[in-house]
Amino acid sequence: MEIKKVLDESQQYIMETYKRFPVIFIKGRGMRLWSVEGKEYLDFLAGVAVNVLGHCHPKVVVAIQKQAQRLIHISNFYHNEYQIKLAKQLVKNSFVGKVFFSNSGAEANEAAIKLLRRHCNQQGSGERYEIITALNSFHGRTMACISATGQARFQQGFEPLLPGFRHVPFNDMEELKKATTDKTAAVMLEPIQGEGGVKVPSEGYFKEVREHCDKNGLILILDEVQTGIGRTGKLFAYEHFDIEPDIMTLAKGLGGGFPIGATIARDEIAKAFEPGSHASTFGGNPLACATALAVLETVTEDGIILSECQRMGTILKNSLLGLKEQFPNIIVDVRGMGLLLGMELTRECSQVVQACFERGILINCTAQNTLRFCPPMVVKEEDIERLISVLHEILTRLS
Ligand SMILES: *Cc1c(COP(=O)(O)O)cnc(C)c1O
């Protein structure tokens, strides 16, 4: 394969929504990816927090193979056993409610927003519809989701936005209280702001948010698209905060690389959807659900994967903190939970990402100045050592 020709054709035929690295990947296994030229890479990005079990995990591969031979897609006019089984497992592992399946994080959030609107319109006179979300948040790229997102750079050029969203600083209870009016219907937050630079709330924040919602009759929507399915060391990040949401959205890690989204809502909210009110052609099809079920069962079956996520997360975090001590002029902060970690630099970080790429390490840069590390939960200590030694070399050169 002639790389240059392929890259030229990419430019000719693919819309330029991404600035891509000049590499073509053809194979993956666990933490590793191989390019068409045979170069090996260690994947600390995992398809942006998607491949929770690594590339081509045997249980995921077998689930896809088996189901692809039996039944790939049917309409939601009919039942499929895997959709029901997956919904049951999700509810059993989270909170009592019902599930709507879709194909992505944006769609899962879109469903949550539409469900909330319908619930509010049925409950009252339509006066309460506003959703408070956080500044610096990220909720996806549909029109409703960019309107919910609290970052101008995702909204610019797409105005007019959907009305009904109000943004407050993340992790600031006073501002949240001040923004709450008789129009407020819900609060929608990420447990950790992933795209916003891996921003972790202070202890007690979500407990206070929950109390505030209860006191004012607000629905709490948690966007666990990035934090869910074990990434933070618990199956869902809200478990760290000793609360439960009323609606939760999932996607990224749920299918282990196969596209699927899910919106889970308490029964009294879920009933706002009735036949015809919302739908998705592909949502919850047998192949997607059989795959996600295999992922969920593997992540939850004996607790080993989650405890490894915590253990490796601690090792990685401590190693990054070690770098911070050595390079105090470049590294400002190390934060995150489990295997969703960020390292904030005093400067723009794409240069470091590029240097890592050249040395066969995949990471990315969020919020311009924060390196994000979200490897598969099957990451090994020696992979972390390799990452740290490469970062050490790059930072030494920079300082
Ligand atoms: C990635 C992400 C989304 C959007 O998911 P897509 O599958 O890209 O639509 C929404 N919310 C959060 C918190 C995310 O990290």
Side-chain angles (χ1 to χ4, degrees), residues 134-304:
L135 287 166
N136 197 45
S137 60
F138 181 77
H139 297 294
R141 303 294 197 132
T142 63
M143 281 308 301
C145 290
I146 62 168
S147 307
T149 292
Q151 298 191 62
R153 69 192 171 99
F154 295 112
Q155 302 169 335
Q156 269 153 13
F158 296 108
E159 301 85 355
L161 300 176
L162 188 73
F165 294 94
R166 190 188 277 250
H167 301 103
V168 300
F170 186 58
N171 201 25
D172 186 331
M173 239 5 258
E174 285 319 302
E175 289 297 322
L176 178 60
K177 283 180 185 164
K178 268 199 270 171
T180 304
T181 67
D182 51 11
K183 282 203 176 72
T184 313
V187 176
M188 178 174 181
L189 296 166
E190 297 157 86
I192 294 173
Q193 290 189 326
E195 301 305 306
V198 194
K199 295 276 167 60
V200 181
S202 48
E203 192 158 346
Y205 172 66
F206 271 98
K207 198 117 198 167
E208 280 189 68
V209 171
R210 180 72 265 183
E211 278 164 21
H212 176 71
C213 287
D214 291 342
K215 214 169 106 196
N216 295 281
L218 311 181
I219 286 164
L220 178 58
I221 307 171
L222 288 187
D223 178 346
E224 293 242 18
V225 167
Q226 186 156 158
T227 52
I229 318 299
R231 177 120 320 263
T232 66
K234 304 240 187 219
L235 190 59
F236 305 113
Y238 73 75
E239 296 171 47
H240 292 285
F241 310 138
D242 200 20
I243 59 150
E244 276 181 6
D246 303 302
I247 302 177
M248 169 169 70
T249 58
L250 297 170
K252 290 195 167 89
L254 182 56
F258 201 92
I260 182 168
T263 307
I264 308 174
R266 287 191 193 293
D267 289 339
E268 67 269 26
I269 305 167
K271 70 173 198 269
F273 276 169
E274 44 198 80
S277 45
H278 190 57
S280 169
T281 299
F282 293 124
N285 86 11
L287 186 55
C289 288
T291 310
L293 192 62
V295 172
L296 194 59
E297 281 174 359
T298 308
V299 171
T300 54
E301 74 190 343
D302 49 16
I304 289 175

Side-chain angles (χ1 to χ4, degrees), residues 308-319 338-339 341:
E308 272 300 285
C309 174
Q310 290 174 7
R311 196 169 77 85
M312 288 299 140
T314 304
I315 291 172
L316 178 51
K317 195 178 195 178
N318 287 338
S319 310
L339 287 170
L341 298 172

Side-chain angles (χ1 to χ4, degrees), residues 13 129 160 172 320 345 361 385:
Y13 295 113
Y129 61 88
D172 186 331
L320 295 172
L345 308 185
I361 301 263
E385 281 163 16

